[in-house]
């Protein structure tokens, strides 16, 4: 389990309870609203709102002075310089808290992407599979369920109670169907300390570095253009709107 996966078991329990009464689109809306609220609360906690507000007021006064200025351009330059200095100073007070406020969003977003990103293929449906490097010595446990393609193989997804195993010359690499709908499995990398792969990892001594699975994307909204049907549209739309709403509600600068 990676660092950003630590709250995943809790998120899973909460989502399971919500799933009793709510469809995926409404559950995503709740997660988006939660992410928006948490990021604003964290920003408020770490930011010096009093100083930021004072700088913002000074900057407005400077901008008004520039707008009303009626003199030589050389006399205007100091006012412009002061206004820019105030803007950079305000940025300095807000940048750090804003970056810290993105951390809780990463916890939620990474979990949501893994949970709502892909669907399990229907039994008997065709799924593309390819490996890197392409010339690896690969074998399947059943040749009748697999046919070669230009970039790898097309397999028939196993039904419940059946299995299909991908192996190299030394050991099994992957058993289908999957426990989680994750479209890639690879050897362990340094970033897995932050984000683990729920499927585990390929053997370090094996000839295959990465296995790609052409899983179907989960459909959250059944109608409309393709770009609104996945999890990203529902989640990030609510996240952005709720962030703005909570910013106004908490009167944050």
């Amino acid at each position: 389990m990676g660092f950003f996966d630590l709250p995943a078991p809790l998120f899973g329990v909460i989502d399971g309870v919500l799933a009793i009464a709510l469809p995926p689109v409404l559950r995503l809306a709740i997660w988006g609203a939660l992410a928006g609220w948490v990021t604003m609360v964290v920003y408020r906690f770490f930011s010096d709102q009093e100083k930021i507000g004072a700088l913002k007021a000074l900057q407005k006064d400077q901008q008004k002075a520039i707008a009303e200025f009626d003199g030589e351009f050389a006399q205007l330059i100091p006012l412009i310089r002061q206004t820019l200095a105030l803007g950079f100073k305000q940025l300095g007070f807000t940048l750090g808290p804003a970056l810290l406020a993105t951390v809780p969003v990463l916890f939620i977003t990474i979990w949501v992407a893994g949970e709502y990103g892909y669907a399990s293929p229907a039994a008997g449906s065709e799924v593309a599979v390819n490996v890197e490097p392409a010339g690896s010595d690969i074998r399947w446990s059943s040749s009748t369920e697999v046919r070669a393609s230009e970039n790898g193989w097309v397999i028939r997804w196993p039904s419940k109670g059946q299995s299909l195993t991908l192996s190299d010359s030394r050991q099994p690499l992957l058993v289908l169907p999957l426990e989680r709908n994750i479209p890639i499995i690879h050897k362990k990398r340094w970033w897995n300390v932050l984000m683990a792969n729920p499927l585990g990892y390929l053997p370090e001594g094996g000839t295959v570095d990465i296995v790609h699975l052409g899983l179907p994307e989960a459909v959250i909204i059944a109608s409309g253009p393709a770009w609104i049907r996945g999890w990203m549209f529902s989640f990030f739309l609510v996240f952005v709107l709720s962030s703005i709403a909570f910013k106004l509600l908490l009167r944050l600068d």
Side-chain angles (χ1 to χ4, degrees):
M1 181 177 287
F3 174 72
F4 287 113
D5 304 312
L6 291 176
L10 176 60
F11 291 163
V13 170
I14 295 172
D15 195 69
V17 173
L18 294 175
I20 296 173
L22 299 177
V25 66
L26 292 183
R27 302 204 304 274
L28 277 171
I30 290 174
W31 289 113
L34 176 64
W37 176 74
V38 170
T39 194
M40 289 297 106
V41 169
V42 172
Y43 174 76
R44 183 182 185 183
F45 180 81
F46 286 103
S47 62
D48 192 332
Q49 288 294 299
E50 186 176 344
K51 286 186 178 179
I52 294 171
L55 286 171
K56 196 173 181 180
L58 285 173
Q59 192 175 30
K60 285 183 178 180
D61 291 340
Q62 290 291 104
Q63 291 170 345
K64 183 179 179 182
I66 291 173
E68 296 174 351
F69 184 79
D70 186 22
E72 297 294 329
F73 182 73
Q75 297 173 314
L76 182 61
I77 292 177
L79 288 175
I80 296 174
R81 188 182 296 116
Q82 290 171 13
T83 303
L84 290 174
L86 287 171
F88 283 116
K89 195 171 183 180
Q90 184 179 338
L91 178 64
F93 278 110
T94 58
L95 182 60
L99 291 175
L100 287 172
T102 64
V103 174
V105 179
L106 289 175
F107 282 102
I108 297 174
T109 303
I110 290 169
W111 177 82
V112 167
E115 194 69 20
Y116 289 90
Y118 293 89
S120 180
S125 62
E126 293 190 336
V127 176
V129 180
N130 61 77
V131 302
E132 296 180 24
S136 302
D137 182 15
I138 293 297
R139 62 195 66 180
W140 293 89
S141 58
S142 173
S143 59
T144 60
E145 301 298 320
V146 180
R147 61 180 173 85
S149 67
E150 183 179 354
N151 298 317
W153 305 269
V154 175
I155 60 110
R156 291 191 180 277
W157 199 257
S159 59
K160 188 175 182 180
Q162 297 180 328
S163 64
L164 184 62
T165 303
L166 173 68
S167 307
D168 63 9
S169 57
R170 301 178 183 178
Q171 57 209 323
L173 302 176
L174 185 65
V175 178
L176 304 176
L178 303 170
E179 295 181 1
R180 297 284 301 275
N181 298 323
I182 305 297
I184 185 170
I185 181 170
H186 50 77
K187 293 179 179 178
K188 195 169 186 178
R189 298 292 184 260
W190 66 266
W191 61 79
N192 294 126
V193 176
L194 300 175
M195 296 177 290
N197 190 324
L199 295 178
Y201 305 98
L202 296 174
E204 286 299 325
T207 58
V208 177
D209 295 329
I210 305 174
V211 178
H212 297 278
L213 299 154
L215 302 184
E217 293 187 7
V219 176
I220 306 300
I221 299 175
S223 60
W227 58 272
I228 74 168
R229 297 190 179 193
W231 71 272
M232 287 189 181
F233 177 80
S234 301
F235 176 79
F236 283 112
L237 176 64
V238 176
F239 167 66
V240 171
L241 293 178
S242 62
S243 297
I244 295 171
F246 287 123
K247 182 178 185 295
L248 296 174
L249 184 65
L250 297 172
R251 298 180 180 180
L252 300 177
D253 290 313

